[in-house]
Amino acid sequence: MGKDIPPAPAPRPAATVRNVALVGRAGAGKTTLAEALLAATGAVPRAGRVEDGTTCLDSEEVEVRQQRSVSLGVATVEHAGHRLTLLDTPGSPDFVGELRAGLRAADSALFVVSAVAGVDAATVQLWEECAAVGMPRAVVLSQIDRPRADVAEAVRLCQLMLGEGVYPLHLVERGPDGAARGLVSLLEPDVDSVPVGDQDADRLRGELIEGIIGDSEDETLMERYLAGEELAVADLVADLETAVARGHFHPVLCASPVTGVGVRELLDLLVSALPCPAEHGCPPVTHLHGSAAPPLACDPDGPLVAEVVKTTTDPYVGRVSLVRVFSGTLRPDVAVHVSGHGMAERGHPDHDADERIGVLSAPLGAALRPVAACPAGDICAVSRLTTAETGDTLSSPEEPRLVPPWQLPVPQLPVAVEAASRADEDRLATALARLVAEDPTVRLERRAATGQLLLWCVGDAHAEVLLERLSTRHGVAVTTVPVRVPLVETLCGPARVTGRHVKQSGGHGQYAVVVVEGEPGPPGSGIVFEQRIVGGTVPSQFHGSVEKGIRAQAERGVNGDRPLVDVRVTLVDGKAHSVDSSDAAFQAAGALALRELVAAVGTRVLEPWCQIEVEAPSEYVGAVMSDLSSRRARVTGSEAQDGRDRTTVRAEVPEVELLGYPGVLRSVTHGTATFDRGPLGYEPAPAGVAVPA
């Protein structure tokens, strides 16, 4: 541990614990604000990036190079007798998996909004996502020191775009030069006597107090307020915490990480106005076989239930698991049951194992500081859990439980990777397995039709980070190659041909003659084999041999490596020899007959199509449909979502047109749209796609 790193705060009761996720668009200043909060507690010597471009929370090589967060940063500090864990989430949509991990570990979300840029559609989408899971939320206006900062306008936009329950808690006091020099709390009774420009402080204070009392449902305080009694700030703050915890009241705070204005006040409000783990509650749990288990309480003496919310690999420590404890107390050198279920379609098969807990640590960015225990409501890092993956549940071996996995985006961008050398090839499988264990938004696929190894990613930035981690974290160099979409062929028309396999090479010869009729079959029918033999010209024991030869040749393809599909083949005649006919001979004759069919009528190339559903804000539906039309898509319908300003667009699209679609969709909708896909079947490919195999 470095000499400038303070020891970890001691474990505390849940009432004095705060787990806060910093959420917001890229560039809003989340990491800068988090660093300022850490500096104000004495956890780091200074706020902001140091000379080499690093911060406490952005220490990964790719983050230093790109000067932005790409993974969840975690720091546990102490303030005003409270244990405060900040979870700094990335702002790019490509890393939404890290964002949702942070929300799973947190008990409240602090939305960081630039006082210059205001609220955008991506922030609104994140806000609605938090609302859907009942996450208590507050807003902090950052960058109030910038020349074009407009706090009043930013508050107005928050109230307009984020909905009801958004109230400013502060006004900014500016000097003669317009620079922010302090904050004025609207909870103070003499707020109207402080010069804060042309804002109606008394009106704003009245609205704030009524909002606090109304959402906290404190009838006694409401009666005192209506009677004209002056309310104590302590009473208002107590009701403020209750109102925020219920998820319908959202205070707007202000801070300038660069000048320090509002940073101390923000720290105080994080511990006094945001809910503790007991107030936020615990997720539902089940038994391992899926039946409901008794609900959890945030009790350090209850049954142990914890969840791995993030997994990383340290070159010196090995695998490090970030764990949120919901119930019970996690202790070193104690056996736990590790269970992961419900992620098999993502390449994470169901698994159960017992392991022994190693060293527990409180994270401060990349630094790990040992702690004696981690009670309910707290977050810690656990070293060397060899079988645990992100999303797994840790529980008592005597009473194993399972926390259902949180919702994650389905990766839609395939990247074909190859080892750069033979030495890298030997290590590639292990490195990719570690990537998948660390990041549940990654899916690995070996596509049999093309032989390519596909790394499915959320977007281009996500793919770039994964490839860099393979190199820097796992020491494996890879190259990327164009993704090949598997094309197939079918017959152009009907024909009747003969497949003759006759050879004599000493001893028993090979003799098999088959006459078949072939024609294109319905889409999706595959290879259909029938026989209409009259008189036993081909003995019945060889009918299966002919079919086997036809199917094997269809799978290999006739023109290059394109399989033949949707073909009906009927065996109608043939010849056999009492000595020289055999299973192998009739397999060869069947394969030859299929090649003769192709030679007689030719083939047409088919390409795979997908059915997709795009969910986007209604204002971008026109741009989405316009882009789809340029991709040979057939739009099959659209449907507005009830109660939300979002629309679902359904379409059928060639798979080749979806290779770069995630980035394009993100561009035309400013990062606010998502899409899912499913296989639809094969259709004739245009000349530009049906290149020679």
Side-chain angles (χ1 to χ4, degrees):
M1 183 185 303
K3 61 181 180 180
D4 295 329
I5 300 177
R12 283 184 171 79
T16 55
V17 171
R18 300 291 185 272
N19 301 310
V20 183
L22 275 65
V23 180
R25 59 175 290 180
K30 297 183 298 299
T31 301
T32 304
L33 177 61
E35 295 286 331
L37 294 171
L38 297 182
T41 65
V44 298
R46 52 166 289 184
R49 296 185 183 273
V50 296
E51 287 74 12
D52 64 354
T54 63
T55 66
C56 175
L57 295 170
D58 282 353
S59 56
E60 192 175 351
E61 289 183 41
V62 64
E63 293 176 313
V64 175
R65 181 175 58 81
Q66 297 185 4
Q67 298 284 283
R68 66 167 179 169
S69 302
V70 301
S71 61
L72 179 66
V74 185
T76 300
V77 295
E78 188 169 7
H79 179 70
H82 287 66
R83 184 180 171 97
L84 172 63
T85 297
L86 300 175
L87 300 118
D88 180 29
T89 67
S92 168
D94 275 20
F95 307 106
V96 67
E98 299 281 332
L99 163 68
R100 292 180 181 173
L103 293 176
R104 183 63 159 227
D107 299 300
S108 59
L110 183 64
F111 274 73
V112 182
V113 174
S114 168
V116 177
V119 183
D120 66 349
T123 303
V124 175
Q125 185 177 5
L126 292 175
W127 183 270
E128 293 176 347
E129 188 171 310
C130 289
V133 297
M135 175 66 73
R137 286 148 285 153
V139 178
V140 58
L141 299 181
S142 67
Q143 302 173 349
I144 62 173
D145 54 299
R146 297 281 182 88
R148 294 186 295 108
D150 189 336
V151 172
E153 176 63 12
V155 170
R156 188 190 70 81
L157 287 174
C158 287
Q159 292 175 327
L160 176 67
M161 300 182 70
L162 302 182
E164 297 181 351
V166 176
Y167 295 91
L169 205 58
H170 293 136
L171 299 177
V172 178
E173 183 180 0
R174 298 188 181 274
D177 60 352
R181 66 182 186 185
L183 300 181
V184 178
S185 172
L186 288 170
L187 295 178
E188 297 292 342
D190 58 346
V191 63
D192 205 34
S193 64
V194 181
V196 288
D198 59 357
Q199 299 182 68
D200 187 350
D202 190 57
R203 176 185 60 82
L204 293 175
R205 182 174 191 269
E207 293 174 351
L208 172 65
I209 292 175
E210 291 177 11
I212 292 174
I213 296 175
D215 278 287
S216 67
E217 300 181 0
D218 190 334
E219 296 182 1
T220 302
L221 203 63
M222 177 63 80
E223 292 173 0
R224 291 167 55 193
Y225 174 70
L226 294 176
E229 182 179 338
E230 195 61 63
L231 303 179
V233 174
D235 292 339
L236 290 173
V237 170
D239 271 23
L240 174 63
E241 181 185 8
T242 302
V244 173
R246 290 182 173 177
H248 302 293
F249 182 89
H250 317 293
V252 180
L253 320 171
C254 295
S256 170
V258 175
T259 64
V261 171
V263 173
R264 179 63 59 174
E265 292 90 336
L266 177 57
L267 268 175
D268 292 339
L269 283 164
L270 290 182
V271 300
S272 63
L274 295 187
C276 70
E279 291 172 295
H280 183 222
C282 301
V285 291
T286 67
H287 297 286
L288 298 187
H289 50 74
S291 63
L296 299 177
C298 186
D299 180 4
D301 298 319
L304 176 64
V305 177
E307 187 174 26
V308 178
V309 295
K310 180 178 173 61
T311 307
T312 58
T313 303
D314 185 276
Y316 304 105
V317 180
R319 182 176 291 191
V320 178
S321 304
L322 184 70
V323 174
R324 165 66 193 262
V325 180
F326 295 112
S327 172
T329 300
L330 195 63
R331 304 182 189 279
D333 202 34
V334 171
V336 297
H337 184 78
V338 180
S339 185
H341 291 242
M343 294 285 288
E345 74 282 357
R346 296 290 190 86
H348 299 259
D350 292 354
H351 53 275
D352 292 275
D354 288 344
E355 286 200 57
R356 190 165 294 275
I357 294 294
V359 175
L360 301 183
S361 306
L364 183 63
L368 299 177
R369 304 161 297 168
V371 293
C374 186
D378 218 336
I379 296 170
C380 70
V382 183
S383 303
R384 297 187 176 92
L385 280 177
T386 57
T387 63
E389 300 179 353
T390 301
D392 283 3
T393 304
L394 310 182
S395 59
S396 167
E398 291 77 28
E399 296 181 82
R401 295 290 185 267
L402 187 66
V403 179
W406 61 88
Q407 186 178 6
L408 287 166
V410 178
Q412 299 288 3
L413 178 68
V415 178
V417 297
E418 296 177 352
S421 68
R422 182 61 181 269
D424 292 309
E425 188 174 340
D426 294 338
R427 302 192 303 268
L428 180 59
T430 301
L432 289 173
R434 288 175 178 170
L435 274 187
V436 172
E438 294 171 3
D439 189 345
T441 63
V442 178
R443 182 166 64 89
L444 196 62
E445 176 193 4
R446 173 70 75 175
R447 182 167 280 185
T450 63
Q452 288 188 314
L453 184 62
L454 300 183
L455 194 63
W456 287 85
C457 312
V458 176
D460 293 308
H462 187 215
E464 180 184 356
V465 168
L466 291 174
L467 295 175
E468 185 157 333
R469 283 176 180 163
L470 280 174
S471 175
T472 59
R473 186 182 290 178
H474 302 291
V476 178
V478 298
T479 58
T480 59
V481 296
V483 176
R484 295 172 55 201
V485 172
L487 303 178
V488 297
E489 296 181 332
T490 192
L491 295 178
C492 287
R496 179 184 176 110
V497 298
T498 300
R500 180 184 299 274
H501 181 75
V502 178
K503 290 186 177 181
Q504 187 70 43
S505 56
H508 284 300
Q510 299 181 46
Y511 187 93
V513 178
V514 297
V515 179
V516 301
E517 294 177 351
E519 61 182 349
S525 60
I527 301 297
V528 177
F529 177 80
E530 298 174 344
Q531 64 85 20
R532 201 167 62 242
I533 293 291
V534 178
T537 54
V538 176
S540 59
Q541 68 264 32
F542 295 131
H543 293 177
S545 304
V546 177
E547 179 181 5
K548 189 174 181 180
I550 289 172
R551 291 189 180 277
Q553 183 66 62
E555 186 175 339
R556 290 193 301 269
V558 177
N559 299 320
D561 58 356
R562 293 173 184 157
L564 206 63
V565 301
D566 300 341
V567 174
R568 179 189 298 274
V569 181
T570 304
L571 176 63
V572 296
D573 202 355
K575 294 180 181 179
H577 189 278
S578 59
V579 176
D580 292 340
S581 291
S582 64
D583 171 71
F586 273 98
Q587 284 191 45
L592 179 59
L594 189 63
R595 295 198 295 271
E596 292 292 338
L597 280 172
V598 170
V601 298
T603 61
R604 57 180 176 178
V605 179
L606 307 178
E607 62 175 335
W609 278 58
C610 298
Q611 49 190 356
I612 68 169
E613 286 192 359
V614 181
E615 183 188 306
S618 300
E619 62 181 303
Y620 296 123
V621 168
V624 169
M625 289 190 173
S626 176
D627 177 72
L628 285 173
S629 67
S630 70
R631 298 174 181 276
R632 300 187 284 132
R634 298 187 295 257
V635 176
T636 58
S638 63
E639 180 181 349
Q641 298 182 6
D642 292 338
R644 301 178 67 196
D645 188 25
R646 296 180 72 83
T647 299
T648 300
V649 177
R650 298 179 181 85
E652 299 170 351
V653 193
E655 184 178 328
V656 70
E657 300 288 351
L658 294 177
L659 291 180
Y661 188 58
V664 174
L665 180 64
R666 188 158 296 152
S667 176
V668 300
T669 64
H670 300 279
T672 59
T674 59
F675 81 100
D676 290 319
R677 76 170 93 192
L680 184 62
Y682 287 86
E683 297 191 18
V689 175
V691 294

